[in-house]
Amino acid sequence: RSAEMAKLTQLIDNEVFRAYATYTVIVLLKMMLMSLITAYFRITRKAFVNPEDTAVFGKGESAKKNLRTDPDVERVRRGHLNDLENIVPFLGIGLLYALSGPELSTALLHFRIFAGARIVHTFAYLIPLPQPSRGLSWAVGYAVTILMAYKVLKTALYL
Amino acid sequence: RSAEMAKLTQLIDNEVFRAYATYTVIVLLKMMLMSLITAYFRITRKAFVNPEDTAVFGKGESAKKNLRTDPDVERVRRGHLNDLENIVPFLGIGLLYALSGPELSTALLHFRIFAGARIVHTFAYLIPLPQPSRGLSWAVGYAVTILMAYKVLKTALYL
Amino acid sequence: RSAEMAKLTQLIDNEVFRAYATYTVIVLLKMMLMSLITAYFRITRKAFVNPEDTAVFGKGESAKKNLRTDPDVERVRRGHLNDLENIVPFLGIGLLYALSGPELSTALLHFRIFAGARIVHTFAYLIPLPQPSRGLSWAVGYAVTILMAYKVLKTALYL
């Protein structure tokens, strides 16, 4: 039993894999934060999409007028969807990249730039910063993911 | 060859990892079910978004009036997107948590509560149940994911 | 250090795992391509959703009229979301399936059919091809994922 655990945890003892774990958790927590920001704007702007969500603000017409879209809510939701579209590829490609035996320093560089780019992207989207801030931060995260994908294919290609 | 397979399958022989595999498959299948429910409502409510999808109901005006949004379809789609937003973090954080060497009973507790919360969330969204049913079931799954993320960072942090 | 790396890379040396890595990278890159296609249509159709994105086309009214939805942009976005809904389950279930000790030829068959179905689905959505092209290609990828989920549960079930 404990020998088996030792073997299993060998993965989490590897430094490259620990770096992957750390930065993956960071970007996933950042993505999860978008849910809270959406909820915050829905409540403060009184802009809901489900009739049952407006009940706390009274019944009838006064509740119905809270069933509406709000520009700030929609902006956070777009940022959240953009996270999904970009962090899902990182989740899969980053894992395979971490298992493909990269140099620790190279792997750290990729993970740090990706996480940094996604954090800048969130600020650029929510504040919002003038373009091309958001476009560039998106492109940096995208490019890092492509580079990791190339390394995975070079190491593991089996069609 | 068979020695190599033995080593590879050591992961799937580990009880914590098997529990992760089981509950991950359960929540992903549950999420996939949302596609079928969306299709069911689109067909029964005749509410499509792509012109080519309405062709089976005849050409011209009779088809065009089926290009519309329907509250039930939109509700299922929101539930599906909420699944993506919450199950993607579980997929990544849960995997890393399973590899971080938790106690089997603790891990099972986290996985079961997460899966249960997401199933309750789906019923709360689709029926729909009065609030705060949906909000609470969402929060429980969210909190479990945060707890697992904390364990991963405590075990593996490598910035 | 190098013995540890050898153990870690045993996963990426396994042929089934290499096949999983290859096809996962392929479908994730295909999904990422949807972002570029969306950007291409937004720019050529001048159909933006964020006010700050229209600034490059001049200020005032001339910029405001570019804040609009375009059928081609929306079509690509629906294809992108459909990718997320179907490739996320493949990412998780496929990984667990690859670790559940399938025959190499069987695993390759599943991965190739899934990847092929998603590529056909993209063409069927974007051209668009008449139905049931898109519906069938979606169903094939869906069915393959279900089959892999069944194999994972049969091998690893631990409730």
XYZ file of all heavy atoms in Angstrom, chain B residues 1 4-5 7-12 15 17-26 28-29 31-36 49-53 77 80-81 84 88 91 95 104 108 112, chain C residues 10-11 13-15 75 78 81 84-86 88-89 91-93 95-96 98-102 104 124-125 128-131 134 138 142 145-146 149 152-153 155-159:
704
model
N 7.200 -5.105 -22.799
C 5.878 -4.574 -23.161
C 4.865 -4.754 -22.026
O 4.226 -3.801 -21.612
C 5.385 -5.293 -24.437
C 3.953 -4.989 -24.838
C 3.820 -3.540 -25.314
N 2.417 -3.113 -25.229
C 1.556 -3.164 -26.225
N 1.947 -3.557 -27.400
N 0.310 -2.789 -26.047
N 5.865 -2.782 -18.983
C 5.575 -1.367 -19.188
C 4.093 -1.075 -18.921
O 3.741 -0.103 -18.262
C 5.929 -1.005 -20.635
C 5.699 0.435 -21.005
C 5.844 0.631 -22.502
O 6.958 0.426 -23.029
O 4.844 0.956 -23.142
N 3.224 -1.955 -19.423
C 1.796 -1.771 -19.200
C 1.488 -1.857 -17.713
O 0.663 -1.122 -17.202
C 0.980 -2.841 -19.947
C 0.875 -2.620 -21.445
S 0.324 -0.950 -21.896
C -1.439 -1.080 -21.510
N 3.361 -0.978 -15.274
C 3.730 0.298 -14.657
C 2.697 1.370 -14.972
O 2.307 2.148 -14.125
C 5.115 0.741 -15.160
C 6.270 0.170 -14.346
C 7.592 0.728 -14.840
C 8.300 -0.287 -15.725
N 9.347 0.310 -16.548
N 2.262 1.376 -16.243
C 1.319 2.407 -16.644
C 0.006 2.270 -15.887
O -0.577 3.253 -15.437
C 1.039 2.316 -18.148
C 0.080 3.395 -18.655
C 0.732 4.763 -18.572
C -0.355 3.101 -20.070
N -0.461 1.027 -15.744
C -1.774 0.838 -15.127
C -1.708 0.968 -13.609
O -2.721 0.907 -12.955
C -2.365 -0.524 -15.526
O -1.390 -1.521 -15.258
C -2.773 -0.542 -16.978
N -0.509 1.164 -13.061
C -0.421 1.352 -11.611
C -1.288 2.532 -11.177
O -1.856 2.535 -10.092
C 1.038 1.564 -11.191
C 1.436 3.016 -10.917
C 2.922 3.254 -10.983
O 3.691 2.365 -11.293
N 3.333 4.464 -10.684
N -1.385 3.515 -12.054
C -2.156 4.709 -11.737
C -3.626 4.333 -11.577
O -4.273 4.718 -10.607
C -1.999 5.722 -12.881
C -2.059 7.196 -12.524
C -1.052 7.560 -11.456
C -1.807 8.044 -13.753
N -4.142 3.560 -12.527
C -5.555 3.210 -12.506
C -5.839 2.150 -11.438
O -6.995 1.908 -11.098
C -6.010 2.755 -13.921
C -7.481 3.107 -14.168
C -5.772 1.277 -14.160
C -7.724 4.504 -14.590
N -6.495 3.365 -5.515
C -7.920 3.571 -5.184
C -8.353 5.036 -5.287
O -9.459 5.326 -5.743
C -8.198 3.024 -3.777
C -8.261 1.500 -3.771
C -8.270 0.916 -2.364
O -7.683 1.552 -1.457
O -8.854 -0.163 -2.172
N -7.096 7.253 -7.267
C -7.177 7.593 -8.684
C -8.413 6.962 -9.327
O -9.058 7.581 -10.184
C -5.909 7.160 -9.425
C -5.783 7.831 -10.763
C -5.280 9.117 -10.856
C -6.215 7.197 -11.921
C -5.192 9.759 -12.090
C -6.129 7.833 -13.149
C -5.623 9.118 -13.234
N -8.758 5.738 -8.893
C -9.977 5.102 -9.418
C -11.219 5.896 -9.014
O -12.147 6.056 -9.811
C -10.084 3.667 -8.901
C -9.180 2.687 -9.644
C -9.214 1.317 -9.013
N -10.577 0.764 -8.959
C -10.938 -0.256 -8.179
N -10.048 -0.820 -7.360
N -12.161 -0.706 -8.204
N -11.234 6.398 -7.796
C -12.365 7.218 -7.352
C -12.449 8.488 -8.205
O -13.532 8.876 -8.653
C -12.208 7.572 -5.872
N -11.281 9.122 -8.451
C -11.278 10.311 -9.314
C -11.829 9.964 -10.692
O -12.671 10.688 -11.243
C -9.864 10.888 -9.446
C -9.752 11.916 -10.550
C -10.305 13.180 -10.403
C -9.132 11.595 -11.767
C -10.249 14.106 -11.422
C -9.065 12.522 -12.789
C -9.625 13.779 -12.614
O -9.570 14.693 -13.640
N -11.355 8.840 -11.258
C -11.807 8.427 -12.590
C -13.321 8.219 -12.598
O -14.024 8.687 -13.499
C -11.084 7.145 -13.016
N -13.833 7.546 -11.580
C -15.265 7.245 -11.529
C -16.104 8.519 -11.482
O -17.027 8.706 -12.287
C -15.565 6.378 -10.291
O -14.797 5.176 -10.387
C -17.048 6.041 -10.219
N -15.774 9.425 -10.559
C -16.612 10.620 -10.400
C -16.415 11.617 -11.542
O -17.336 12.345 -11.899
C -16.390 11.247 -9.019
C -17.027 10.387 -7.953
C -16.292 9.438 -7.243
C -18.395 10.461 -7.716
C -16.902 8.615 -6.305
C -19.010 9.645 -6.787
C -18.261 8.720 -6.082
O -18.869 7.905 -5.174
N -15.215 11.621 -12.127
C -14.999 12.473 -13.300
C -15.850 11.992 -14.468
O -16.491 12.802 -15.159
C -13.503 12.474 -13.688
O -12.785 13.142 -12.650
C -13.270 13.187 -15.005
N -15.867 10.681 -14.701
C -16.700 10.157 -15.784
C -18.172 10.462 -15.511
O -18.908 10.867 -16.407
C -16.455 8.639 -15.973
C -17.503 8.026 -16.879
C -15.057 8.402 -16.539
N -18.598 10.329 -14.250
C -20.001 10.608 -13.910
C -20.369 12.058 -14.222
O -21.375 12.318 -14.894
C -20.277 10.279 -12.421
C -20.291 8.750 -12.218
C -21.605 10.890 -11.954
C -20.356 8.310 -10.763
N -18.831 14.183 -16.189
C -18.709 14.494 -17.624
C -19.886 13.905 -18.403
O -20.404 14.553 -19.320
C -17.371 13.982 -18.177
C -16.135 14.791 -17.754
C -14.852 14.119 -18.259
C -16.195 16.225 -18.279
N -20.324 12.697 -18.056
C -21.504 12.121 -18.719
C -22.736 12.977 -18.421
O -23.567 13.216 -19.297
C -21.729 10.674 -18.273
C -20.729 9.639 -18.803
C -21.047 8.257 -18.209
C -20.757 9.558 -20.333
N -22.755 16.137 -17.848
C -22.634 17.335 -18.679
C -23.017 17.031 -20.129
O -23.709 17.829 -20.777
C -21.209 17.882 -18.614
C -21.037 19.207 -19.350
S -19.394 19.934 -19.087
C -18.486 19.188 -20.451
N -22.563 15.873 -20.626
C -22.883 15.502 -22.010
C -24.397 15.322 -22.207
O -24.920 15.561 -23.294
C -22.155 14.215 -22.400
C -20.649 14.393 -22.574
S -19.796 12.815 -22.832
C -20.333 12.418 -24.514
N -25.088 14.895 -21.148
C -26.538 14.725 -21.221
C -27.230 16.039 -21.587
O -28.291 16.036 -22.232
C -27.037 14.215 -19.856
C -28.484 13.763 -19.752
C -28.763 12.611 -20.707
C -28.812 13.341 -18.315
N -26.632 17.175 -21.184
C -27.230 18.483 -21.482
C -27.383 18.687 -22.990
O -28.323 19.351 -23.431
C -26.391 19.614 -20.891
C -26.138 19.505 -19.397
S -27.650 19.384 -18.410
C -27.955 21.111 -18.035
N -26.453 18.140 -23.792
C -26.574 18.250 -25.251
C -27.850 17.566 -25.730
O -28.562 18.099 -26.587
C -25.375 17.581 -25.942
O -24.180 18.227 -25.600
N -28.122 16.378 -25.182
C -29.316 15.639 -25.606
C -30.584 16.377 -25.177
O -31.561 16.435 -25.928
C -29.307 14.223 -25.016
C -28.194 13.297 -25.522
C -28.373 11.901 -24.925
C -28.202 13.213 -27.047
N -31.488 27.454 -34.330
C -30.655 28.631 -34.513
C -29.981 28.610 -35.879
O -29.630 29.657 -36.407
C -29.636 28.745 -33.341
C -28.657 27.584 -33.341
C -28.906 30.069 -33.346
N -29.820 27.405 -36.465
C -29.193 27.315 -37.786
C -30.247 27.085 -38.863
O -31.022 26.137 -38.759
C -28.201 26.145 -37.819
C -27.035 26.355 -36.877
O -26.280 27.303 -37.016
N -26.919 25.462 -35.901
N -30.237 27.925 -39.929
C -31.218 27.754 -41.009
C -31.244 26.328 -41.560
O -32.326 25.793 -41.834
C -30.741 28.751 -42.072
C -30.000 29.794 -41.310
C -29.374 29.097 -40.139
N -30.053 25.680 -41.692
C -30.020 24.337 -42.278
C -30.701 23.297 -41.383
O -31.040 22.200 -41.842
C -28.569 23.912 -42.592
C -27.657 23.685 -41.388
C -26.909 24.949 -40.964
O -27.409 26.056 -41.245
O -25.854 24.826 -40.334
N -30.923 23.625 -40.100
C -31.553 22.661 -39.187
C -33.067 22.622 -39.346
O -33.723 21.694 -38.894
C -31.238 22.998 -37.717
C -29.748 22.961 -37.440
O -28.984 22.583 -38.338
O -29.360 23.318 -36.316
N -29.321 25.459 -22.064
C -28.015 25.925 -22.521
C -27.259 26.656 -21.413
O -26.038 26.523 -21.291
C -28.172 26.841 -23.741
C -28.672 26.079 -24.980
C -28.755 26.992 -26.166
N -27.424 27.454 -26.540
C -27.104 28.706 -26.834
N -28.029 29.648 -26.814
N -25.881 29.037 -27.163
N -25.879 24.045 -19.209
C -24.736 23.398 -19.860
C -23.475 24.254 -19.702
O -22.395 23.741 -19.371
C -25.077 23.192 -21.341
C -24.244 22.148 -22.022
N -24.572 21.601 -23.220
C -23.084 21.558 -21.657
C -23.646 20.711 -23.565
N -22.743 20.673 -22.635
N -23.607 25.562 -19.934
C -22.459 26.460 -19.807
C -21.977 26.505 -18.356
O -20.763 26.522 -18.089
C -22.836 27.865 -20.292
C -21.688 28.882 -20.366
C -20.560 28.386 -21.259
C -22.182 30.233 -20.859
N -19.835 23.544 -17.804
C -18.487 23.752 -18.348
C -17.649 24.595 -17.398
O -16.502 24.264 -17.095
C -18.570 24.458 -19.702
C -18.648 23.585 -20.950
C -18.875 24.441 -22.182
C -17.368 22.763 -21.124
N -14.875 21.918 -15.664
C -13.497 22.062 -16.156
C -12.512 22.269 -14.996
O -11.493 21.569 -14.926
C -13.398 23.191 -17.215
C -11.953 23.623 -17.435
C -14.026 22.747 -18.527
N -12.090 18.949 -13.271
C -11.288 18.032 -14.090
C -9.803 18.233 -13.808
O -9.078 17.265 -13.533
C -11.593 18.342 -15.568
C -11.161 17.359 -16.641
C -11.862 16.025 -16.453
C -11.492 17.908 -18.037
N -7.776 16.101 -10.691
C -6.682 15.209 -11.109
C -5.435 15.465 -10.274
O -4.814 14.524 -9.752
C -6.374 15.437 -12.595
C -5.153 14.703 -13.155
C -5.394 13.207 -13.186
C -4.809 15.204 -14.555
N -7.781 8.244 1.237
C -8.859 7.746 0.372
C -10.226 8.246 0.827
O -11.028 8.720 0.010
C -8.836 6.210 0.345
C -9.982 5.539 -0.423
C -9.988 5.939 -1.891
C -9.896 4.014 -0.301
N -12.683 10.584 -1.371
C -14.030 10.124 -1.729
C -15.076 11.153 -1.307
O -16.014 11.440 -2.049
C -14.325 8.784 -1.052
C -13.851 7.548 -1.813
C -14.001 6.303 -0.935
C -14.648 7.359 -3.109
N -17.540 12.810 -3.988
C -18.975 12.526 -3.886
C -19.780 13.797 -3.700
O -20.840 13.969 -4.305
C -19.230 11.599 -2.685
C -18.838 10.159 -2.942
C -18.908 9.357 -1.649
N -18.504 7.966 -1.854
C -18.076 7.168 -0.880
N -18.001 7.617 0.379
N -17.741 5.929 -1.142
N 8.029 7.584 -18.516
C 7.521 6.271 -18.913
C 6.112 6.401 -19.501
O 5.716 5.656 -20.384
C 7.534 5.303 -17.724
C 6.192 5.082 -17.044
C 6.327 4.550 -15.628
O 7.423 4.370 -15.133
N 5.225 4.293 -14.992
N 5.357 7.379 -18.983
C 3.987 7.576 -19.435
C 3.992 7.976 -20.905
O 3.258 7.421 -21.717
C 3.342 8.675 -18.586
C 1.847 8.603 -18.342
C 1.459 7.279 -17.719
C 1.404 9.727 -17.421
N 6.233 7.450 -22.996
C 6.834 6.419 -23.839
C 5.838 5.326 -24.198
O 6.065 4.565 -25.140
C 8.034 5.768 -23.131
C 9.226 6.719 -23.083
O 9.210 7.710 -23.842
O 10.139 6.472 -22.289
N 4.749 5.238 -23.453
C 3.739 4.229 -23.728
C 2.979 4.591 -25.006
O 2.571 5.738 -25.196
C 2.780 4.158 -22.534
C 1.651 3.199 -22.774
O 0.656 3.571 -23.389
N 1.810 1.971 -22.326
N 2.792 3.600 -25.884
C 2.212 3.912 -27.196
C 0.765 4.399 -27.113
O 0.360 5.301 -27.848
C 2.305 2.679 -28.102
C 3.730 2.475 -28.623
C 3.913 1.118 -29.288
O 3.220 0.154 -28.891
O 4.741 1.027 -30.203
N -22.039 32.046 -36.172
C -21.914 30.640 -36.581
C -20.587 30.034 -36.087
O -20.565 28.942 -35.532
C -22.033 30.537 -38.104
C -21.954 29.143 -38.675
C -22.238 29.130 -40.175
N -23.662 29.229 -40.462
C -24.505 28.207 -40.447
N -24.072 26.992 -40.163
N -25.776 28.374 -40.712
N -20.760 29.493 -32.371
C -21.523 28.300 -31.986
C -20.681 27.041 -32.197
O -20.722 26.113 -31.391
C -22.826 28.204 -32.800
C -23.856 29.258 -32.431
C -25.234 28.909 -32.968
N -25.299 28.852 -34.423
C -25.490 29.913 -35.214
N -25.622 31.126 -34.706
N -25.565 29.766 -36.529
N -18.232 26.836 -29.294
C -18.864 26.374 -28.055
C -19.165 24.879 -28.130
O -18.980 24.138 -27.154
C -20.152 27.172 -27.796
C -20.850 26.903 -26.466
C -19.920 27.155 -25.279
C -22.107 27.757 -26.326
N -16.051 23.064 -27.316
C -15.823 23.028 -25.870
C -16.676 21.950 -25.215
O -16.193 21.156 -24.407
C -16.173 24.379 -25.246
C -15.048 25.406 -25.105
C -15.602 26.721 -24.614
C -13.972 24.907 -24.160
N -17.965 21.911 -25.584
C -18.899 20.968 -24.965
C -18.522 19.516 -25.230
O -18.872 18.628 -24.458
C -20.327 21.231 -25.484
C -20.897 22.566 -25.020
C -22.188 22.932 -25.726
O -22.609 22.174 -26.633
O -22.777 23.975 -25.406
N -17.829 19.265 -26.351
C -17.530 17.883 -26.717
C -16.067 17.498 -26.523
O -15.757 16.331 -26.275
C -17.937 17.636 -28.178
C -19.442 17.625 -28.329
O -20.091 16.624 -28.047
N -20.024 18.755 -28.716
N -13.992 18.870 -24.165
C -13.706 18.765 -22.723
C -13.976 17.336 -22.218
O -13.117 16.759 -21.549
C -14.488 19.828 -21.916
C -14.511 19.485 -20.430
C -13.882 21.211 -22.130
N -15.152 16.732 -22.524
C -15.346 15.327 -22.122
C -14.282 14.393 -22.697
O -13.797 13.495 -22.007
C -16.733 14.983 -22.678
C -17.446 16.280 -22.726
C -16.395 17.304 -23.084
N -11.199 15.146 -23.425
C -9.951 15.417 -22.703
C -9.891 14.567 -21.436
O -8.893 13.874 -21.182
C -9.929 16.906 -22.340
C -8.641 17.549 -21.862
C -7.572 17.486 -22.930
C -8.895 19.019 -21.499
N -10.960 14.596 -20.634
C -10.970 13.873 -19.362
C -11.169 12.380 -19.532
O -10.393 11.572 -18.997
N -12.201 11.997 -20.281
C -12.523 10.575 -20.438
C -11.428 9.880 -21.240
O -11.030 8.757 -20.927
C -13.919 10.406 -21.083
C -15.003 10.863 -20.093
C -14.152 8.966 -21.527
C -16.406 10.961 -20.677
N -8.228 10.614 -21.377
C -7.051 10.415 -20.531
C -7.232 9.184 -19.650
O -6.338 8.322 -19.567
C -6.827 11.661 -19.659
C -5.728 11.546 -18.599
C -4.348 11.480 -19.255
C -5.776 12.732 -17.627
N -8.391 9.086 -19.003
C -8.656 7.957 -18.103
C -8.728 6.663 -18.907
O -8.253 5.612 -18.461
C -9.954 8.205 -17.338
C -9.921 9.468 -16.461
C -11.311 9.825 -15.965
C -8.954 9.282 -15.294
N -7.085 6.058 -21.699
C -5.708 5.715 -22.078
C -4.972 5.042 -20.922
O -4.081 4.210 -21.144
C -4.953 6.972 -22.524
N -5.346 5.390 -19.675
C -4.704 4.808 -18.491
C -5.374 3.509 -18.050
O -4.912 2.856 -17.118
C -4.733 5.809 -17.339
C -3.954 7.106 -17.546
C -4.181 8.063 -16.395
C -2.465 6.834 -17.728
N -6.506 3.140 -18.702
C -7.262 1.958 -18.277
C -6.781 0.696 -18.991
O -7.415 -0.359 -18.868
C -8.757 2.178 -18.520
O -9.047 2.087 -19.913
N -5.688 0.819 -19.757
C -5.089 -0.360 -20.368
C -5.821 -0.938 -21.567
O -5.941 -2.154 -21.685
N -6.267 -0.103 -22.513
C -6.914 -0.643 -23.713
C -5.867 -1.205 -24.677
O -4.682 -0.872 -24.571
C -7.585 0.585 -24.325
C -6.677 1.714 -23.952
C -6.136 1.368 -22.589
N -3.786 -1.218 -28.002
C -3.324 -0.073 -28.788
C -4.203 0.146 -30.021
O -4.620 1.270 -30.306
C -1.861 -0.280 -29.210
C -1.278 0.766 -30.160
C -1.295 2.159 -29.532
C 0.146 0.407 -30.569
N -18.778 20.867 -41.542
C -20.235 20.827 -41.701
C -20.885 22.080 -41.110
O -21.874 22.592 -41.635
C -20.804 19.567 -41.042
N -20.299 22.605 -40.025
C -20.878 23.788 -39.380
C -20.526 25.065 -40.142
O -21.365 25.944 -40.318
C -20.387 23.895 -37.937
C -21.459 24.403 -36.973
C -21.497 23.991 -35.647
C -22.441 25.307 -37.396
C -22.481 24.438 -34.775
C -23.429 25.752 -36.531
C -23.440 25.321 -35.227
O -24.417 25.764 -34.365
N -22.097 26.062 -44.527
C -22.432 24.823 -43.839
C -22.891 23.754 -44.815
O -23.430 24.068 -45.890
C -23.614 25.263 -42.966
C -24.288 26.345 -43.746
C -23.229 27.007 -44.571
N -22.665 22.500 -44.467
C -23.197 21.384 -45.247
C -24.645 21.153 -44.836
O -25.031 21.442 -43.704
C -22.380 20.118 -44.971
C -20.897 20.165 -45.349
C -20.218 18.855 -44.955
C -20.714 20.412 -46.843
N -25.476 20.627 -45.755
C -26.860 20.321 -45.371
C -26.889 19.255 -44.271
O -26.020 18.373 -44.221
C -27.499 19.806 -46.664
C -26.395 19.574 -47.630
C -25.197 20.318 -47.165
N -27.888 19.368 -43.396
C -28.098 18.319 -42.395
C -28.489 17.038 -43.114
O -29.006 17.107 -44.209
C -29.208 18.736 -41.418
C -28.766 19.795 -40.408
C -27.907 19.234 -39.293
O -27.177 18.259 -39.499
N -27.975 19.860 -38.135
N -23.887 17.670 -40.056
C -23.371 18.151 -38.782
C -23.879 17.275 -37.639
O -23.119 16.904 -36.731
C -23.805 19.600 -38.550
C -23.008 20.295 -37.470
C -23.538 21.695 -37.203
N -24.643 21.675 -36.267
C -25.856 22.180 -36.483
N -26.138 22.776 -37.628
N -26.786 22.109 -35.554
N -21.448 15.055 -35.174
C -21.535 15.281 -33.728
C -21.807 13.963 -33.000
O -21.157 13.634 -32.009
C -22.646 16.304 -33.411
C -22.916 16.395 -31.949
C -22.221 17.150 -31.043
C -23.893 15.670 -31.201
N -22.719 16.943 -29.786
C -23.742 16.046 -29.858
C -24.887 14.739 -31.548
C -24.547 15.513 -28.850
C -25.686 14.212 -30.550
C -25.512 14.602 -29.222
N -19.675 11.893 -30.096
C -20.390 11.676 -28.826
C -20.387 10.193 -28.463
O -20.075 9.822 -27.321
C -21.818 12.180 -29.010
C -22.633 12.381 -27.753
C -22.614 13.610 -27.088
C -23.460 11.385 -27.257
C -23.390 13.830 -25.955
C -24.234 11.586 -26.122
C -24.200 12.817 -25.481
O -24.976 13.028 -24.358
N -17.032 8.847 -27.322
C -16.731 9.279 -25.946
C -17.483 8.406 -24.931
O -16.921 8.027 -23.898
C -17.101 10.767 -25.768
O -16.517 11.524 -26.831
C -16.595 11.305 -24.438
N -18.732 8.075 -25.236
C -19.531 7.208 -24.354
C -18.870 5.830 -24.246
O -18.784 5.249 -23.149
C -20.969 7.045 -24.904
C -21.694 8.394 -24.989
C -21.767 6.030 -24.064
C -22.293 8.880 -23.710
N -15.972 6.046 -21.995
C -16.432 6.210 -20.605
C -16.838 4.857 -20.016
O -16.535 4.558 -18.856
C -17.609 7.182 -20.555
N -13.753 2.939 -19.069
C -13.145 3.473 -17.842
C -13.906 2.972 -16.615
O -13.310 2.470 -15.654
C -13.123 5.025 -17.856
C -12.660 5.577 -16.509
C -12.241 5.538 -18.977
N -15.233 3.055 -16.669
C -16.034 2.630 -15.512
C -15.888 1.131 -15.275
O -15.812 0.682 -14.136
C -17.510 2.997 -15.717
C -17.828 4.494 -15.667
C -19.324 4.735 -15.813
C -17.326 5.132 -14.367
N -13.296 -0.670 -15.882
C -11.958 -0.942 -15.347
C -11.763 -0.376 -13.946
O -11.138 -1.006 -13.093
C -10.883 -0.312 -16.270
O -11.138 -0.689 -17.618
C -9.474 -0.753 -15.859
N -12.295 0.824 -13.712
C -11.856 1.591 -12.538
C -12.942 1.852 -11.511
O -12.642 2.397 -10.453
C -11.288 2.933 -13.011
N -14.177 1.462 -11.774
C -15.302 1.884 -10.917
C -14.986 1.767 -9.426
O -14.651 0.704 -8.920
C -16.557 1.053 -11.234
C -17.853 1.579 -10.570
C -18.267 2.901 -11.194
C -18.987 0.575 -10.687
N -15.086 2.881 -8.734
C -14.859 2.910 -7.283
C -15.740 4.026 -6.738
O -15.343 5.182 -6.720
C -13.384 3.177 -6.978
C -13.017 2.862 -5.543
C -12.418 1.663 -5.204
C -13.305 3.778 -4.518
C -12.091 1.361 -3.895
C -12.992 3.479 -3.200
C -12.379 2.275 -2.904
O -12.070 1.980 -1.596
N -16.933 3.647 -6.313
C -17.918 4.667 -5.917
C -17.751 5.123 -4.460
O -17.278 4.380 -3.635
C -19.334 4.136 -6.142
C -19.813 4.185 -7.592
C -21.038 3.327 -7.782
C -20.108 5.621 -8.031
